[in-house]
Amino acid sequence: MAGGAREVLTLQLGHFAGFVGAHWWNQQDAALCAPSEAAAPPAELCPDVLYRAGRTPHGRETYTPRLILMDLKGSLSSLKQEGGLYGDAQLDAAIAWQGKLTTHKEELCPKNPYLQDLRSAEGVLSSDGIWRVRSIPSGKESSVRVWSDFLRVHLHPRSICMIHKYNHDGEAGRLEAFGQGESILKEPRYLEELEDRLHFYVEECDFLQGFQILCDLHNGFSGVGAKATELLQDEYSGRGIITWGLLPGPYSLREPQKNVFRLLNTAFGLVHMSAHSSLVCPLSLGRSLGLRPEPPVTFPHLQYDATLPFHCAAVLATTLDTVTVPYRLRSSPVSMAHLADLLNFSGKKVVTAAATIPFPLVPGQSLPDALVQLGGPAAWTPLSACGGPCGTRCFALSVVLRGLDGARHTSRLAPGTALPSPLHACTTGEDVLAQYLQQQEPRVRSSAHLLLAPCNVVPPYPRLFSPSLSQHGLVLDGSPPGAAVESIPVLGALCSSSTLSQTLGDLARDLSTLDVRRWASFLDAGVEQADVEEALEELGSLAQCYRGGDSLTD
């Protein structure tokens, strides 16, 4: 049991969601295993929110993610569906059976040769006496084809739910369309399997606060997500449901059917999941949800390859690890439902995400200095394919800044020194951050959290960072430090803003220009022309929500 924690059950739906989820769980595991000083205060984040304690049939204690994961046949590579922590379920069943036994063995997928040490004790003993896993060589990161190649966390046997009727690889039997995904959870086999797993995890919770869903938006898993959120809303009314709609990196005009399906799946997914979720946030390193491709977003101190899901997912997982802090706090947490209430008033259920990765801090600099130098939200990198925040109106805002030690929270100017800004007069870091938000977005509903704990970026997190960063993510002048970056400060934000009016409106306009009858395979999957027209109308209504005022002062 979670001992008073407000538990969250995570659902991962789709293969790119698996990539983001693998990085997310690796970061949680790194935080759990991070060495701490004897005099250190209790951890600010409560891992029991996301993890469950258990015991194997042989009496071994376990601590595994409270997770249900759905993916397609061929997506697990060498990972067993039941995981490796509780033994082989098929072997146990065979031992119990006393009759004649015939064994048919399927050829095993070979482990990625560059990643085999991730599941072994192989690593490097560093100068500080800590055993560290070797990082994946930069030139070999393209060899990461599936999320299971780099997942370091053991999963419970009830976590992985495979959809065998569709293939992960190949041209045939793909889960491409929203209607296909919806139909999966209309089949008794898959619906009952999901319900059984939900009941298993939910019934052992003492104070379940809700569900966080990581779901592919660009493929047929958007339909799976739509039915899953509908099921959760029907069966667990009153619980928070926060859905993260995930899209991989940029796309090419050379694949017209893929692009049209991506547009249709995204539109249907946003409409249906926003109807059944407390909050929906698209997450992408692209700049557009529509048909016109645009270059991916950039970060001053990150060097990533937008064509690699391994890279894109790492950046999005770091964002998630930051913006979800409010409902994972050990002390005075903000529940998922309350976070949603802050951001989704007046029907504004879709929000955007932005981040500064890493938060730019130089040695000797205080938080007031860094915020003055950073500027306002226009300096944050938008991560919802909704363009930048410039010229938009913010209705509600939740900001988390993490990874700054307490000595940096306030100004250390000598008495009598002229204050460079009002931020330098604040006496606590929390006041500094609150004052900063008040300056940048006056009279806006906002919530701010300041944490000492950084984001952990140890291997197998990819080596994305500028050589000018220190081991703990500080921006250095002069020669590179040489040591690999292991943790970073991050600023993350969720925002309800008027930029969504244009984004959702543009999505609706792109949808209206399509002659969906040309893409018969999308309609054959179970979607009718009337459904397209209804989605178009719903998108227009969603866009309208962000055109008016409805802020605290209107």
Side-chain angles (χ1 to χ4, degrees):
M1 294 299 178
R6 299 291 303 275
E7 302 102 335
V8 170
L9 174 54
T10 302
L11 279 72
Q12 288 171 207
L13 310 175
H15 200 67
F16 187 60
F19 266 86
V20 176
H23 279 301
W24 156 276
W25 293 113
N26 286 344
Q27 287 184 301
Q28 309 314 308
D29 184 65
L32 283 171
C33 299
S36 60
E37 299 177 6
E44 297 158 295
L45 298 176
C46 177
D48 290 341
V49 171
L50 300 173
Y51 281 75
R52 62 177 295 278
R55 194 179 296 273
T56 70
H58 304 292
R60 179 184 172 190
E61 292 185 353
T62 62
Y63 198 55
T64 53
R66 191 177 295 105
L67 168 69
I68 299 173
L69 181 158
M70 300 186 79
D71 209 339
L72 306 179
K73 181 172 65 177
S75 63
L76 294 185
S77 185
S78 56
L79 178 67
K80 295 180 180 179
Q81 182 173 342
E82 67 275 8
L85 193 59
Y86 281 69
D88 192 325
Q90 293 180 339
L91 179 60
D92 292 343
I95 293 172
W97 170 251
Q98 300 299 317
K100 185 177 179 181
L101 182 67
T102 304
T103 301
H104 301 272
K105 294 193 71 173
E106 197 175 78
E107 186 176 348
L108 294 176
C109 294
K111 289 183 181 179
N112 186 312
Y114 304 105
L115 303 171
Q116 290 186 23
D117 72 314
L118 295 185
R119 297 202 182 97
S120 72
E122 186 178 349
V124 178
L125 186 64
S126 62
S127 58
D128 56 7
I130 298 173
W131 193 264
R132 291 181 169 88
V133 175
R134 289 196 180 113
S135 61
I136 301 165
S138 298
K140 306 300 183 184
E141 289 178 346
S142 61
S143 69
V144 181
R145 300 295 184 187
V146 292
W147 55 263
S148 52
D149 274 340
F150 64 95
L151 177 69
R152 285 190 52 80
V153 178
H154 284 293
L155 301 181
H156 189 275
R158 288 181 181 260
S159 280
I160 299 176
C161 176
M162 296 304 298
I163 300 171
H164 292 283
K165 68 181 294 184
Y166 293 107
N167 297 317
H168 168 62
D169 289 315
E171 295 301 319
R174 304 300 295 270
L175 182 59
E176 297 177 311
F178 179 88
Q180 292 174 302
E182 268 198 320
S183 68
I184 287 172
L185 290 186
K186 291 178 181 177
E187 293 185 29
R189 171 188 173 186
Y190 292 112
L191 178 60
E192 289 171 9
E193 190 169 358
L194 176 58
E195 288 180 328
D196 287 346
R197 293 165 192 262
L198 283 170
H199 293 157
F200 170 77
Y201 284 114
V202 169
E203 288 170 6
E204 68 178 9
C205 292
D206 292 328
F207 306 102
L208 179 72
Q209 62 169 307
F211 307 86
Q212 60 178 9
I213 302 174
L214 281 61
C215 180
D216 288 4
L217 262 186
H218 60 293
N219 55 35
F221 272 102
S222 64
V224 178
K227 292 303 291 183
T229 53
E230 182 181 355
L231 171 66
L232 293 175
Q233 187 185 51
D234 289 344
E235 290 205 13
Y236 304 99
S237 177
R239 310 294 186 184
I241 303 172
I242 296 183
T243 301
W244 310 97
L246 305 170
L247 298 111
Y251 50 94
S252 170
L253 289 175
R254 294 192 294 269
E255 300 175 296
Q257 176 170 317
K258 197 171 182 179
N259 288 336
V260 167
F261 275 40
R262 179 189 52 78
L263 176 78
L264 288 163
N265 290 328
T266 299
F268 273 83
L270 285 176
V271 165
H272 286 261
M273 285 189 274
S274 64
H276 302 296
S277 302
S278 311
L279 207 64
V280 174
C281 180
L283 284 176
S284 174
L285 297 182
R287 295 178 188 265
S288 169
L289 295 177
L291 285 174
R292 181 180 299 175
E294 295 187 26
V297 298
T298 58
F299 297 82
H301 300 289
L302 287 189
Q303 301 163 350
Y304 73 95
D305 184 343
T307 66
L308 296 182
F310 183 57
H311 282 192
C312 295
V315 177
L316 297 183
T318 299
T319 303
L320 271 178
D321 193 29
T322 302
V323 297
T324 59
V325 156
Y327 57 83
R328 298 192 287 125
L329 289 170
R330 187 181 299 275
S331 176
S332 303
V334 177
S335 72
M336 299 178 85
H338 286 151
L339 180 63
D341 287 343
L342 167 74
L343 294 166
N344 72 3
F345 69 105
S346 301
K348 299 178 178 68
K349 282 192 172 185
V350 182
V351 297
T352 64
T356 303
I357 305 174
F359 180 74
L361 194 68
V362 302
Q365 193 175 40
S366 70
L367 176 57
D369 296 331
L371 289 173
V372 169
Q373 184 175 323
L374 178 67
W380 308 346
T381 301
L383 294 173
S384 292
C386 294
C390 296
T392 66
R393 179 176 182 183
C394 180
F395 303 114
L397 187 63
S398 171
V399 173
V400 175
L401 178 57
R402 59 184 305 183
L404 277 71
D405 64 73
R408 298 178 181 273
H409 285 183
T410 57
S411 175
R412 291 291 184 265
L413 294 175
T417 306
L419 298 179
S421 78
L423 300 182
H424 289 76
C426 296
T427 57
T428 68
E430 288 76 10
D431 289 344
V432 172
L433 189 55
Q435 175 79 6
Y436 166 74
L437 295 180
Q438 178 63 26
Q439 287 179 355
Q440 302 299 332
E441 299 291 349
R443 299 180 299 277
V444 166
R445 295 159 57 112
S446 65
S447 168
H449 291 87
L450 183 64
L451 269 70
L452 300 174
C455 277
N456 289 280
V457 291
V458 295
Y461 198 96
R463 300 172 115 176
L464 307 178
F465 301 102
S466 161
S468 63
L469 294 185
S470 74
Q471 188 176 9
H472 300 296
L474 299 183
V475 182
L476 303 176
D477 292 328
S479 59
V485 179
E486 295 188 351
S487 65
I488 55 172
V490 176
L491 183 146
L494 296 177
C495 183
S496 173
S497 80
S498 58
T499 188
L500 282 159
S501 173
Q502 180 175 341
T503 298
L504 296 172
D506 289 348
L507 188 61
R509 278 187 288 276
D510 279 357
L511 186 58
S512 68
T513 62
L514 287 180
D515 182 0
V516 185
R517 291 169 297 183
R518 288 184 55 201
W519 311 98
S521 56
F522 189 88
L523 297 177
D524 291 344
V527 172
E528 300 179 357
Q529 181 66 37
D531 297 320
V532 178
E533 293 168 3
E534 184 179 348
L536 197 56
E537 185 177 334
E538 291 293 333
L539 272 178
S541 298
L542 271 176
Q544 182 65 39
C545 288
Y546 299 90
R547 290 189 189 125
D550 292 325
S551 71
L552 289 180
T553 58
D554 295 322

